[in-house]
């Protein structure tokens, strides 16, 4: 269809008639109601004006006008591009008053400047103002230009990840028709972008109130804990500062819980000012199922600090308890240092016990390293313990029997889900353990011969093997060994 036919005019219509026809049809085709129809109407209007001016130039070649070069043919509506050098409002006003064509200064549309201004406005957090600002750009009435600007703006947002609320990002995507599956977005990447920009917005100091409200940490103590956690994660990583902060026993767990509530488990959504080495250190220190470098270093630093503190307290107590300076005694200092050393040794044993217990008590549905050793660990420990009973030091067998019994109890309790053995709860098991410990202590105090308590390793071994056998029988159909013993199928050649 020719541009004159689109405007309902004959081919010899002059410029005044073209503008009048454009103004009449503009009342029926508004850009906010029918963007595609308005683009076609405006393209036909510009093409008809160009053709009319070219015809005037060919009839009066001596007149210097803004016409197209000679030999220009009438363009079609589909091939006419929407110009950005002339404002839509100026075209409409010229058409209504019937003014002669005048030379209008060219107005260029800078996409880079548009994107920078849009991002700056989005970071202010007012989604309604952003929507109004986007609608006030006449250049975006061109669908082709609007699509290009939208793609460039979204690329800039992906690249910069500016702090903005989710409502502003949704406004941008909706305005440029990029909020659906056919827009070509990676859903996971878009979800990550929304989380990062929202978190970056909430983590700004002036918006911490919104973050505290979302995390239900509005009371003053919780706000202080949140601020301390964020300050720690934003600091540069230095070992002395980290180890000193780790003397607080609750700090790793508190940081891990706060990060989990912030990100919902998606730690990559945190903004760039959160130090990744700080984050990795505190998350590893809070993981009690693994023996990691952060956990070992924090435990060592706590043990050294504890022994040093106990030494100072012991020396102070020795000075206070001494009536005369020459009768100063260092006994309290040695006692307290010994207590701190015992606590450090207990912590080291706990560090060795936690990963062993986690590995040994995994459910059969979950993969585990060395499945044969995981299955036969309790019988092997009991066998080694019984062999130690015939050694010159039979009491050392308890060092293997007690861990074997505890491992069997933990394995059965965690794999069965209820934590009960023979329908007996954990509380009753702990009561029995305390009673047995008191019996052993009473036997030791009564100077009973070692041969009279030689039955204890055998009793512990029997209990451990019995509980292990019950667990093995209940999980006989789900053993990891079934899948481990299956031979891999040969691939056809």
């Amino acid at each position: 269809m020719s541009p004159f036919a689109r405007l309902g005019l004959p081919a010899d219509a002059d410029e005044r008639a073209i503008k009048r026809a454009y103004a009449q049809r503009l009342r029926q085709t508004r850009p906010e109601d029918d963007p595609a129809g308005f683009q076609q109407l405006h393209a036909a209007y510009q093409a008809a004006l160009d053709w009319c001016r070219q015809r005037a130039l060919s009839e009066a070649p001596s007149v210097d006008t803004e016409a197209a070069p000679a030999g220009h043919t009438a363009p079609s509506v589909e091939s006419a591009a929407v110009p950005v050098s002339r404002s839509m409002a100026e075209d409409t006003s010229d058409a209504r008053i019937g003014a002669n064509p005048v030379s209008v200064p060219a107005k260029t549309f800078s996409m880079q400047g548009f994107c920078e201004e849009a991002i700056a406005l989005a970071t202010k957090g007012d989604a309604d103002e952003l929507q109004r600002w986007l609608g006030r750009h006449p250049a975006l009435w061109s669908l082709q230009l609007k699509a290009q600007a939208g793609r460039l703006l979204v690329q800039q947002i992906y690249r910069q990840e500016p702090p903005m609320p989710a409502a502003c990002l949704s406004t941008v995507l909706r305005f440029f028709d990029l909020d659906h599956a056919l827009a070509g977005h990676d859903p996971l990447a878009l979800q990550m972008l929304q989380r990062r920009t929202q978190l970056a917005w909430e983590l700004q100091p002036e918006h911490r109130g919104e973050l505290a409200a979302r995390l239900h940490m509005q009371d003053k103590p919780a706000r202080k804990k949140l601020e301390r956690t964020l300050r720690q994660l934003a600091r540069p990583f230095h070992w002395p500062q980290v180890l000193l902060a780790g003397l607080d026993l609750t700090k790793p767990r508190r940081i891990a819980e706060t990060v989990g509530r912030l990100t919902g488990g998606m730690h990559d959504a945190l903004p760039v000012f959160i130090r990744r080495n700080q984050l990795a250190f505190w998350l590893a220190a809070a993981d009690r199922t693994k023996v990691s470098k952060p956990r070992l270093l924090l435990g060592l630093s706590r043990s050294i600090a504890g022994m040093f503190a106990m030494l100072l307290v012991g020396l102070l107590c020795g000075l206070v308890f001494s009536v005369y300076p020459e009768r100063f005694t260092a006994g309290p200092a040695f006692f307290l240092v010994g207590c701190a050393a015992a606590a450090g040794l207990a912590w080291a044993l706990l560090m060795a016990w936690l990963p062993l217990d986690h590995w040994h008590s995994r459910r059969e549905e979950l993969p585990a390293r060395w499945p044969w050793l995981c299955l036969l660990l309790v019988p092997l420990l009991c066998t080694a313990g019984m062999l130690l009973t015939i050694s010159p030091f039979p009491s050392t067998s308890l060092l293997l029997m007690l861990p074997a019994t505890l491992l069997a109890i933990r394995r059965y309790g965690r794999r069965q889900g209820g934590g009960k053995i023979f329908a007996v709860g954990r509380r009753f098991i702990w009561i029995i353990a305390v009673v047995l410990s008191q019996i052993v202590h009473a036997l030791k105090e009564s100077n009973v011969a070692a041969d009279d308590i030689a039955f204890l390793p055998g009793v512990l071994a029997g209990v451990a093997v019995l509980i292990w056998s019950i667990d093995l029988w209940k999980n006989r159909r789900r053993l990891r060994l079934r899948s481990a013993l299956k031979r891999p199928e040969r691939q056809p050649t």
Side-chain angles (χ1 to χ4, degrees):
M1 179 183 295
S2 68
F4 291 97
R6 179 69 178 81
L7 295 172
L9 297 173
D12 57 349
D14 58 1
E15 190 171 344
R16 184 183 297 272
I18 292 173
K19 291 185 177 182
R20 288 178 178 175
Y22 174 68
Q24 292 176 358
R25 281 162 175 74
L26 190 61
R27 298 171 184 171
Q28 302 174 357
T29 307
R30 305 298 301 173
E32 59 272 12
D33 298 333
D34 187 7
F38 173 77
Q39 181 187 10
Q40 296 178 1
L41 177 63
H42 189 79
Y45 168 67
Q46 291 293 334
L49 282 180
D50 290 342
W51 177 255
C52 182
R53 292 168 184 173
Q54 178 190 1
R55 183 179 56 193
L57 179 63
S58 61
E59 293 177 356
S62 60
V63 179
D64 186 12
T65 63
E66 292 182 352
H72 185 271
T73 58
S76 63
V77 175
E78 290 77 7
S79 63
V82 178
V84 187
S85 60
R86 188 177 179 89
S87 174
M88 307 292 186
E90 293 172 351
D91 292 336
T92 306
S93 61
D94 289 346
R96 289 177 180 176
I97 65 177
N100 293 326
V102 295
S103 178
V104 180
K107 296 182 181 179
T108 59
F109 178 75
S110 174
M111 286 195 180
Q112 186 65 30
F114 167 78
C115 293
E116 293 177 357
E117 192 174 354
I119 291 175
L121 186 59
T123 55
K124 296 181 180 179
D126 193 344
D128 296 334
E129 177 62 25
L130 178 62
Q131 176 71 34
R132 290 191 293 268
W133 181 83
L134 291 172
R136 288 197 296 264
H137 280 75
L140 298 182
W141 293 349
S142 169
L143 296 183
Q144 181 179 3
L145 188 62
K146 181 179 180 181
Q148 295 175 0
R151 286 193 296 268
L152 181 60
L153 178 57
V154 173
Q155 290 175 4
Q156 294 287 345
I157 295 176
Y158 268 105
R159 187 179 301 111
Q160 300 178 13
E161 295 181 359
M164 68 173 69
C168 288
L169 181 59
S170 300
T171 298
V172 171
L173 297 176
R174 184 172 59 252
F175 180 82
F176 291 102
D177 196 24
L178 298 174
D179 56 344
H180 52 82
L182 300 179
H185 289 293
D186 184 359
L188 295 179
L190 182 59
Q191 183 182 10
M192 184 64 67
L193 177 66
Q194 291 175 341
R195 283 182 175 270
R196 285 179 175 175
T197 55
Q198 177 71 25
L199 270 178
W201 165 264
E202 292 177 340
L203 290 176
Q204 290 180 334
E206 58 270 20
H207 303 134
R208 293 284 173 84
E210 300 178 12
L211 176 62
R214 182 171 69 86
L215 299 180
H216 304 289
M217 303 175 67
Q218 296 174 320
D219 56 312
K220 191 173 182 179
R223 285 288 298 272
K224 288 184 176 180
K225 291 181 181 179
L226 177 62
E227 294 293 339
R228 288 197 297 266
T229 298
L230 295 177
R231 282 198 302 267
Q232 179 64 44
L233 293 177
R235 288 174 178 171
F237 187 87
H238 297 296
W239 281 109
Q241 189 276 328
V242 168
L243 295 179
L244 183 62
L247 295 180
D248 182 2
L249 300 180
T250 63
K251 198 175 189 68
R253 177 179 54 83
R254 186 173 67 245
I255 291 179
E257 290 178 355
T258 303
V259 171
R261 296 174 67 179
L262 276 174
T263 64
M266 302 174 65
H267 299 155
D268 292 337
L270 289 170
V272 293
F273 72 86
I274 297 295
R275 307 281 181 166
R276 291 308 188 262
N277 46 8
Q278 285 271 7
L279 179 64
F281 178 87
W282 293 109
L283 291 181
D287 188 359
R288 298 185 177 183
T289 63
K290 298 179 182 178
V291 178
S292 57
K293 180 180 178 181
R295 295 203 71 190
L296 292 177
L297 291 177
L298 285 182
L300 182 60
S301 63
R302 291 168 181 172
S303 299
I304 294 174
M307 287 189 290
F308 183 73
M310 291 298 180
L311 177 62
L312 294 179
V313 173
L315 293 175
L316 181 61
C317 292
L319 290 174
V320 172
F321 294 154
S322 298
V323 180
Y324 302 101
E326 61 273 8
R327 297 179 59 184
F328 169 75
T329 176
F334 287 118
F335 173 75
L336 294 176
V337 170
C339 292
L345 179 61
W347 173 84
L349 293 176
L350 180 63
M351 289 296 99
W353 168 263
L354 289 177
L356 178 63
D357 176 62
H358 180 74
W359 166 72
H360 184 256
S361 59
R362 290 174 68 88
R363 293 183 177 272
E364 291 294 337
E365 295 83 2
L366 303 176
R369 299 182 64 182
W370 309 304
W372 280 102
L373 181 60
C374 184
L375 176 65
L376 301 176
L377 181 62
V378 171
L380 290 176
L381 289 177
C382 292
T383 303
M386 294 304 297
L387 292 177
L388 288 177
T389 57
I390 60 177
S391 66
F393 304 98
S395 60
T396 57
S397 62
L398 295 177
L399 298 178
L400 296 179
M401 292 303 182
L402 288 175
T405 305
L406 291 177
L407 285 174
I409 294 174
R410 290 283 295 169
R411 179 182 175 91
Y412 183 91
R414 293 185 65 179
R415 285 152 63 94
Q416 299 304 320
K420 296 183 179 181
I421 304 173
F422 306 118
V424 178
R426 296 179 181 176
R427 184 177 301 176
F428 187 72
I429 294 174
W430 284 113
I431 294 175
I432 293 177
V434 172
V435 172
L436 289 177
S437 65
Q438 295 298 322
I439 291 175
V440 172
H441 182 70
L443 292 174
K444 182 179 179 181
E445 293 294 333
S446 60
N447 297 322
V448 179
D451 295 338
D452 296 335
I453 59 173
F455 65 93
L456 285 180
V459 172
L460 293 176
V463 172
V465 173
L466 178 60
I467 297 175
W468 174 81
S469 302
I470 295 174
D471 175 77
L472 180 65
W473 175 258
K474 289 190 174 183
N475 292 277
R476 64 188 183 278
R477 300 184 183 277
R478 301 192 300 270
L479 291 178
R480 301 186 188 97
L481 302 179
R482 291 179 175 270
S483 58
L485 292 175
K486 289 183 179 179
R487 295 181 179 179
E489 299 180 359
R490 295 182 178 180
Q491 299 292 335
T493 58

